[in-house]
Structures are given as structure tokens and as C-alpha cells.
Amino acid sequence: MQTREEIFATLRGALVELFELDAERVTLDANLYEDLEIDSIDAVDLIDHIKRQTGKKIAAEEFKAVRTVGDVVEAVLQVVNAPAQA
């Protein structure tokens, strides 16, 4: 997963699969909590799914600032493109 489009496509698939959402509801502007009805436990599941897909973990503190699907895409983009730490 490298580009925003690839990350969004993977994230949309994950949201549809994990939370049985209609793909049409999953847009970059969709609010995770209000539009998609994702709760805090679901958010933990989503973070875990992202970690399995990317091999990299998004810190829970970083995820607290996330509100929309687009925010998640940006957070994943930063994590996957971050330089490896020694």
C-alpha cells in the first residue's frame, strides 16, 4: 500500500468486510463515528487490521485525532511512508 488511492481501496474493503458497511457509504468525507457508526472497540479492530495489512502500527494516540475515512488514509500514508527506525 503506497498511494492514497490504494490505501483508500484497502481501507474501504476492510470497513465493508469488518463492519458490514455498504461500500457506497465509505467515502473520504465519511465520519467514522457519525456516518459509519464505528465505536471505540471497532476502531481498535480497524487499527489491528491496518497493522496486519501494512506490518506497521498506528499509535492509538494518533488514531484519536482521526474523524473521517480520509483522516485514516492520511494516517496510514504517513506510517507506511515513514522512514524505518533503527
Side-chain angles (χ1 to χ4, degrees):
M1 292 194 313
Q2 298 296 333
T3 69
R4 281 180 178 81
E5 293 77 21
E6 291 170 330
I7 292 169
F8 174 63
T10 301
L11 181 60
R12 174 184 264 176
L15 288 166
V16 168
E17 178 186 331
L18 293 172
F19 308 116
E20 299 178 2
L21 297 170
D22 292 327
E24 300 81 41
R25 291 179 59 198
V26 183
T27 65
L28 288 172
D29 294 329
N31 185 294
L32 293 171
Y33 308 102
E34 294 169 11
D35 300 329
L36 303 180
E37 301 171 8
I38 301 292
D39 63 24
S40 58
I41 294 171
D42 292 337
V44 171
D45 290 341
L46 184 59
I47 291 171
D48 186 56
H49 184 81
I50 291 168
K51 181 181 176 187
R52 287 194 311 271
Q53 293 294 314
T54 64
K56 302 193 181 199
K57 183 176 181 187
I58 295 177
E61 302 83 48
E62 292 175 33
F63 208 80
K64 286 180 183 176
V66 167
R67 294 288 173 255
T68 67
V69 173
D71 292 342
V72 178
V73 170
E74 290 302 317
V76 172
L77 191 65
Q78 287 180 5
V79 169
V80 298
N81 289 328
Q85 296 181 3

